[in-house]
Amino acid sequence: MRLMSAVTFTLLSAVICCSLTEKLPNASPPNIIIMLMDDMGWGDLGVFGQPSKETPNLDAMAAQGMLLPNFYTANPLCSPSRAALLTGRLPVRNGFYTTNGHARNAYTPQEIVGGISKDEILLPQMLKKKGYVSKIVGKWHLGHRPQYLPLKNGFDEWFGAPNCHFGPYNGSIRPNIPVYNNSEMLGRYYEEFTINRKTGESNLTQIYLMEGLDFILRQTKDRRPFFLYWAPDATHAPVYASKRFLGKSQRGRYGDAVMELDYSVGQILSWLRTFGIENNTFVFFTSDNGAALVSGPKGGGSNGPFLCGKQTTFEGGMREPAIAWWPGHIKEGSVNFQLANVMDLFTTSLALAGINPPDDRILDGLDLTPVLLDRPHTLQNRPIFYYRGNELMAVRLGQYKAHYWTWTNSWEELKNGINFCPGQEVPDVTTHEQKEHTQQPIIFHLGQDPGEKFPISVLTKEYQNVLSMISPVVEQHKKTMVPGIPQLNMCDMAVMVSQRL
């Protein structure tokens, strides 16, 4: 395993730092760091009201930057949301969905045949135009076959795994997930990279932290702009934390994992200050989807006041914690209620780098730099589209959200103890069969009712006004929607053979 001790790393960096801090100018374009958590909920941060107050570094990051309470993912499941971030396009456009079932979420298990389409353009590919060096640390989840891996899709470096840390598996039938350093397989989860399912102990977050710090150090030394996509997965079940953090949280093992991630964020931001590059590094913190309430209470997080969680298109499944940090550029302690989503990070990153976005395709992400830098803009009325698989389930415009379909999970799953909305049943809303409301959508005012518990009466003038406002937006969206070729339709156990070699 390529990992120096923390003491050696600190001493080495201190020597290099001395030669950098006084000489290093603020270069242009800025470095970009996107921190994408896994299944972390909106309500897991102290700044968003978590009563345990166990995220001091993230809370400080918000105090030094901008909090975005109305930030969304593009899909309530890991793989499609990550594909959307890196392409700036809805999963139904970039192909990260399935047509095997209506409104069915899909991801990239070991037996998936497909992956990110060769026709898509990923963020690191675009950033090369301005000389960026790009690295992903952690979970990829856009396909595990060779042609789909990060180094084939614009990244210069990778330390992590193609899938989540499910397991352990019987290697003769299904191999444990491999861990890579670039194109070299270093080992596997539960084997060379241990995760103790009984105690929850694992050093993976610390390994990912060190990899991120080392990358920043090397690029700073070489004076090259960099893009770091830091994607740890400790808060995805089965949750884990290192020995130093186990048993420390009031919230149990999930809280331990959050505390370690919070610590890691603090270390990365401190690292930027150490090298004097904080004013030339844009950092964005968010999550891939809402907390997995099905894993709770011990293995799942909090979505705050919002309904349901991961896998659903209710607010708890798609509204994410979000913090933007860029000292000297983003006003400290600011809060902006602009509707935004993870696809905006693609377009915003390109704008920061001074790169024009691709003009041969429809992009769903918008440039948020006017919002972040407090400049005049016309983004206020942009809609948020809530997709589940191949179906548009809901749309938000302003404070209003209209549900055209409702569904949590099936009665069969519920009878087997799988519940995406435990303790949150709302009659005729959290339905266990797919219910269509396209002729008369269920509408909520999210400012007054963030928990989506009290639908606006269809008999009111307010309902009619909202419907007349949202309907043209939906019609226009559907008219211009050209779905991509679905990449997540086919599974075959044979494709796992390559992972056993």
Side-chain angles (χ1 to χ4, degrees):
M1 191 184 341
R2 185 174 64 86
L3 181 64
M4 67 182 77
S5 73
V7 174
T8 303
F9 190 83
T10 301
L11 291 174
L12 175 62
S13 63
V15 172
I16 297 174
C17 174
C18 290
S19 66
L20 290 178
T21 51
E22 294 184 3
K23 300 177 183 178
L24 188 65
N26 277 343
S28 181
N31 307 309
I32 298 169
I33 299 177
I34 296 177
M35 301 173 170
L36 186 71
M37 302 301 105
D38 202 336
D39 290 7
M40 186 179 285
W42 192 94
D44 282 327
L45 277 58
V47 71
F48 280 126
Q50 170 51 240
S52 65
K53 301 298 180 184
E54 293 174 345
T55 55
N57 293 289
L58 285 165
D59 298 347
M61 182 183 180
Q64 297 158 12
M66 177 181 288
L67 199 65
L68 295 120
N70 287 323
F71 192 84
Y72 289 85
T73 186
N75 185 276
L77 197 62
C78 315
S79 293
S81 65
R82 291 160 192 264
L85 187 160
L86 290 173
T87 63
R89 286 153 56 84
L90 284 163
V92 73
R93 290 196 210 275
N94 66 37
F96 250 60
Y97 71 104
T98 181
T99 54
N100 288 342
H102 177 255
R104 177 187 169 190
N105 289 319
Y107 71 111
T108 56
Q110 290 189 78
E111 59 268 33
I112 197 74
V113 173
I116 191 67
S117 171
K118 61 180 176 56
D119 296 324
E120 291 300 313
I121 301 175
L122 275 64
L123 179 56
Q125 293 171 318
M126 293 294 296
L127 291 175
K128 285 184 184 297
K129 295 182 178 183
K130 283 297 181 75
Y132 278 78
V133 180
S134 299
K135 178 165 186 166
I136 170 175
V137 176
K139 176 175 166 182
W140 172 238
H141 226 26
L142 300 189
H144 62 78
R145 299 173 72 194
Q147 67 268 36
Y148 301 128
L149 293 177
L151 300 192
K152 296 290 187 179
N153 287 279
F155 283 97
D156 301 292
E157 299 182 22
W158 176 35
F159 188 98
N163 299 82
C164 195
H165 59 278
F166 290 127
Y169 296 117
N170 181 336
S172 64
I173 301 173
R174 178 185 294 269
N176 283 315
I177 304 299
V179 176
Y180 288 89
N181 176 40
N182 297 324
S183 57
E184 177 189 2
M185 195 182 90
L186 299 181
R188 299 180 186 278
Y189 287 143
Y190 301 98
E191 297 175 23
E192 293 82 3
F193 294 85
T194 58
I195 303 173
N196 189 316
R197 287 293 300 267
K198 183 177 180 180
T199 66
E201 182 177 351
S202 176
N203 291 326
L204 279 166
T205 297
Q206 288 304 301
I207 294 172
Y208 291 152
L209 170 61
M210 298 294 277
E211 284 292 327
L213 296 180
D214 172 69
F215 177 71
I216 294 170
L217 185 154
R218 288 186 285 108
Q219 303 318 312
T220 303
K221 181 182 177 183
D222 292 342
R223 289 165 167 76
R224 297 189 63 179
F226 63 81
F227 167 46
L228 173 60
Y229 177 40
W230 196 67
D233 68 350
T235 42
H236 189 297
V239 297
Y240 61 79
S242 63
K243 187 174 182 179
R244 174 181 173 184
F245 291 92
L246 281 176
K248 299 297 184 182
S249 172
Q250 303 172 54
R251 305 177 63 197
R253 191 177 297 174
Y254 179 88
D256 297 338
V258 172
M259 289 181 71
E260 185 164 19
L261 291 169
D262 174 79
Y263 166 82
S264 299
V265 169
Q267 291 296 298
I268 292 173
L269 298 186
S270 177
W271 204 236
L272 299 177
R273 294 191 186 94
T274 296
F275 292 143
I277 59 172
E278 72 275 21
N279 290 345
N280 197 49
T281 306
F282 171 76
V283 184
F284 199 95
F285 174 94
T286 189
S287 181
D288 60 351
N289 45 247
L293 302 187
V294 69
S295 301
K298 295 182 179 180
S302 168
N303 294 314
F306 305 123
L307 184 62
C308 299
K310 178 180 179 176
Q311 297 262 21
T312 78
T313 49
F314 298 106
E315 290 298 288
M318 294 192 60
R319 201 187 302 202
E320 309 305 326
I323 303 170
W325 186 90
W326 192 10
H329 301 270
I330 294 175
K331 184 179 178 182
E332 290 189 5
S334 53
V335 179
N336 197 295
F337 294 94
Q338 170 66 47
L339 299 189
N341 68 53
V342 72
M343 295 173 290
D344 298 339
L345 297 180
F346 177 91
T347 316
T348 302
S349 296
L350 294 183
L352 292 173
I355 300 171
N356 292 326
D359 58 4
D360 63 344
R361 63 200 60 217
I362 293 177
L363 293 177
D364 297 291
L366 301 181
D367 176 12
L368 292 179
T369 54
V371 173
L372 300 172
L373 304 180
D374 197 23
R375 296 171 181 167
H377 62 87
T378 57
L379 301 179
Q380 290 92 338
N381 294 323
R382 70 91 56 92
I384 297 293
F385 299 106
Y386 302 69
Y387 270 88
R388 183 165 173 167
N390 59 350
E391 184 59 70
L392 178 63
M393 304 288 284
V395 177
R396 178 177 178 181
L397 192 62
Q399 293 287 1
Y400 294 97
K401 179 179 178 182
H403 288 269
Y404 293 88
W405 288 84
T406 55
W407 188 36
T408 55
N409 61 321
S410 69
W411 283 111
E412 182 180 1
E413 287 179 322
L414 187 66
K415 290 174 183 176
N416 290 324
I418 300 173
N419 190 349
F420 296 160
C421 310
Q424 292 186 310
E425 299 293 334
V426 179
D428 299 319
V429 176
T430 55
T431 56
H432 291 286
E433 59 277 324
Q434 297 184 20
K435 285 196 173 182
E436 185 175 5
H437 310 280
T438 52
Q439 298 304 311
Q440 195 174 81
I442 299 174
I443 298 177
F444 296 97
H445 186 295
L446 294 178
Q448 299 169 356
D449 180 22
E452 298 172 279
K453 293 180 174 62
F454 308 103
I456 297 172
S457 170
V458 298
L459 301 178
T460 63
K461 184 178 180 181
E462 180 183 17
Y463 181 94
Q464 298 302 323
N465 288 341
V466 174
L467 189 61
S468 65
M469 176 180 67
I470 292 182
S471 293
V473 173
V474 175
E475 291 172 12
Q476 179 63 23
H477 175 73
K478 289 187 173 182
K479 186 185 299 183
T480 59
M481 173 55 69
V482 179
I485 298 173
Q487 302 296 310
L488 307 182
N489 274 355
M490 187 180 298
C491 289
D492 187 340
M493 297 291 283
V495 301
M496 294 196 295
V497 172
S498 63
Q499 295 193 51
R500 291 198 289 268
L501 297 179

